[in-house]
C-alpha cells in the first residue's frame, strides 16, 4: 500500500511481530531496508541504561539498527517497573533527563539508531533538554489532531528544527483511552462531505498540512487504504481556518503518571507544564 514508517515501542509488545513482518518483506525483496523508517521507544523503567534497552529492542526486532529511538515519556520508573500502568511504588523521585539523554546519545554514537528524540514532551521540557543536549532531539512525538492542535509546541519545535510527529491523529478511536470525538465531529464531517472524502482523511490531511507526520493505526485493510488516500486530498484555506476554531481537548492525558505521593508530577498540569 506504500506505508514506510512503522512505529513501535517496548511497552506495546509489538516489536517482535513488526520485526518479523519487516524482515520477511525485506527478504522477499518487496522493499529494501533503507526504504523503511522504523521507530521504537525507551520505556520509563530503562532510563538508567538506554543502550541495553535499545539492544534488547533490536533483538526483538531482529534488526541491526532502528531509524529513530524516542524517550517514551518524561518520567523515570524503577528498573523492575515494566508495566504500562505503574504502581505507586514504581516511580523514581526525579527524571534526571541529563543522564538519560547521555545514554540516548551513546545509542547514536554506537550506531544502534540513526536519530534520537522524545515523546510527550511539553515546550518547557523541550527547552530544558536543549539547554544541555550535545545532540538535540530530531523529533517530538505527541498527540496531535484537529481537536488538539499543538500550536505553541509546533512553533517552538519548528524554531529548533525539531520535527513534530503526531500520534492519535484520529483521536485514538479503538483504544481503551481513545475517543471518537475527532472522526464524529460535525465540522470534520462537513468538510469531508464537501471534498467527497472521509472524516479520517480530513483529520490526517490536516496534520500533514501542519508539517507533521501522522502515525495512524488500523488493522482493517480497507481503512489502511482509505488512510493513504489522505495524501491525495487538498484542504482549502477556509477548511483550515474553520478547524482552527474547534474547541480543543486532549485525549491522552497521562493520568497514570500522576499521583500525590511518589510521582514527581502531583497534577496533570505539572506533567504537561500547564500546557493542557
Amino acid at each position: 500500500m506504500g506505508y514506510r514508517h512503522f512505529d513501535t515501542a517496548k511497552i506495546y509488545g509489538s516489536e517482535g511481530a513488526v520485526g518479523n513482518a519487516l524482515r520477511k518483506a525485506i527478504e522477499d525483496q518487496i522493499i529494501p531496508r533503507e526504504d523503511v523508517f522504523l521507530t521504537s521507544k525507551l520505556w520509563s523503567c530503562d532510563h538508567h541504561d538506554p543502550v541495553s534497552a535499545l539492544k534488547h529492542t533490536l533483538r526483538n526486532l531482529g534488526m541491526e539498527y532502528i531509524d529513530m529511538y524516542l524517550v517514551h515519556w518524561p518520567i523515570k520508573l524503577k528498573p523492575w517497573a515494566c508495566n504500562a500502568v505503574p504502581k505507586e511504588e514504581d516511580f523514581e523521585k526525579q527524571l534526571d533527563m541529563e543522564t538519560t539523554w547521555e545514554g540516548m546519545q551513546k545509542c547514536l554514537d554506537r550506531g544502534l539508531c540513526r536519530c534520537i528524540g522524545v515523546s510527550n514532551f511539553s515546550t518547557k521540557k523541550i527547552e530544558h533538554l536543549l539547554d544541555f543536549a550535545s545532540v538535540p532531539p530530531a523529533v517530538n512525538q505527541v498527540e496531535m489532531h484537529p481537536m488538539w492542535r499543538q500550536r505553541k509546541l509546533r512553533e517552538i519545535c519548528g524554531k529548533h528544527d525539531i520535527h513534530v510527529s503526531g500520534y492519535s491523529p484520529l483521536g485514538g478511536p479503538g483504544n481503551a483511552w481513545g475517543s471518537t470525538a475527532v472522526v464524529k465531529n460535525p465540522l470534520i464531517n462537513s468538510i469531508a462531505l464537501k471534498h467527497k472524502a472521509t472524516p479520517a482523511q480530513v483529520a490526517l490531511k490536516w496534520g500533514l498540512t501542519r508539517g507533521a507526520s501522522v502515525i495512524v493505526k488500523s488493522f482493517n485493510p480497507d481503512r489502511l487504504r482509505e488512510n493513504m488516500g489522505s495524501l491525495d486530498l487538498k484542504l482549502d484555506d477556509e477548511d483550515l481556518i474553520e478547524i482552527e476554531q474547534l474547541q480543543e481537548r486532549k485525549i491522552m492525558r497521562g493520568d497514570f503518571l500522576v499521583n500525590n505521593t511518589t510521582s514527581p508530577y502531583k497534577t496533570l498540569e505539572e506533567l504537561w507544564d500547564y500546557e493542557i
Side-chain angles (χ1 to χ4, degrees):
M1 291 186 199
Y3 284 94
R4 293 294 180 268
H5 181 195
F6 296 89
D7 180 87
T8 183
K10 171 180 175 170
I11 204 65
Y12 300 163
S14 61
E15 288 175 333
V18 168
N20 287 342
L22 287 176
R23 283 199 320 279
K24 185 172 189 317
I26 291 162
E27 285 161 13
D28 292 349
Q29 299 187 327
I30 294 168
I31 42 165
R33 169 65 183 91
E34 54 270 24
D35 283 4
V36 171
F37 194 94
L38 184 55
T39 297
S40 195
K41 307 180 192 78
L42 177 82
W43 187 238
S44 301
C45 65
D46 293 321
H47 278 236
H48 61 288
D49 192 356
V51 170
S52 293
L54 180 47
K55 284 180 176 176
H56 188 262
T57 276
L58 292 173
R59 285 195 296 275
N60 286 344
L61 289 163
M63 296 282 175
E64 291 180 5
Y65 69 93
I66 57 173
D67 299 276
M68 180 68 65
Y69 197 40
L70 304 178
V71 177
H72 205 148
W73 283 93
I75 194 139
K76 187 176 183 180
L77 300 174
K78 299 280 194 332
W80 62 80
C82 295
N83 296 320
V85 178
K87 301 185 185 76
E88 203 170 359
E89 62 270 21
D90 291 344
F91 291 87
E92 296 280 15
K93 287 192 170 66
Q94 287 184 313
L95 172 58
D96 186 17
M97 193 60 198
E98 290 190 43
T99 304
T100 297
W101 199 249
E102 276 177 28
M104 295 293 283
Q105 289 176 169
K106 283 179 187 167
C107 292
L108 196 60
D109 294 341
R110 296 182 188 187
L112 304 175
C113 57
R114 298 287 164 91
C115 307
I116 51 176
V118 294
S119 181
N120 297 301
F121 271 50
S122 64
T123 56
K124 184 177 177 182
K125 288 182 177 68
I126 287 285
E127 287 172 328
H128 173 62
L129 175 55
L130 291 169
D131 284 343
F132 56 80
S134 305
V135 178
V139 162
N140 187 13
Q141 187 187 119
V142 293
E143 178 184 340
M144 182 179 157
H145 47 72
M147 295 178 72
W148 191 252
R149 295 183 287 281
Q150 298 280 19
R151 176 183 281 277
K152 181 184 175 187
L153 187 73
R154 285 189 283 116
E155 284 173 4
I156 294 294
C157 286
K159 183 175 146 192
H160 295 289
D161 293 323
I162 299 168
H163 175 74
V164 174
S165 195
Y167 71 72
S168 297
L170 306 179
N175 290 308
W177 52 265
S179 168
T180 57
V182 176
V183 291
K184 289 192 172 175
N185 181 272
L187 174 65
I188 299 297
N189 277 266
S190 76
I191 293 171
L193 201 60
K194 170 177 150 187
H195 292 290
K196 297 185 174 61
T198 66
Q201 288 171 338
V202 170
L204 295 175
K205 187 62 177 191
W206 174 83
L208 294 168
T209 63
R210 302 295 87 177
S213 51
V214 288
I215 301 163
V216 63
K217 179 180 81 173
S218 179
F219 299 99
N220 180 308
D222 292 334
R223 282 201 289 271
L224 283 163
R225 289 187 192 90
E226 175 194 315
N227 292 338
M228 286 297 276
S230 62
L231 296 168
D232 301 321
L233 174 61
K234 183 159 175 36
L235 298 178
D236 56 42
D237 291 344
E238 184 188 352
D239 301 329
L240 297 173
I241 290 165
E242 286 183 326
I243 288 171
E244 287 298 319
Q245 309 308 312
L246 285 174
Q247 186 174 357
E248 295 202 71
R249 179 186 135 209
K250 188 160 185 13
I251 295 168
M252 168 49 95
R253 298 167 69 81
D255 304 79
F256 62 100
L257 298 175
V258 170
N259 70 50
N260 282 320
T261 51
T262 55
S263 172
Y265 308 113
K266 307 304 178 199
T267 65
L268 284 172
E269 287 75 18
E270 286 181 13
L271 173 61
W272 300 107
D273 298 303
Y274 294 86
E275 295 169 22
I276 190 167

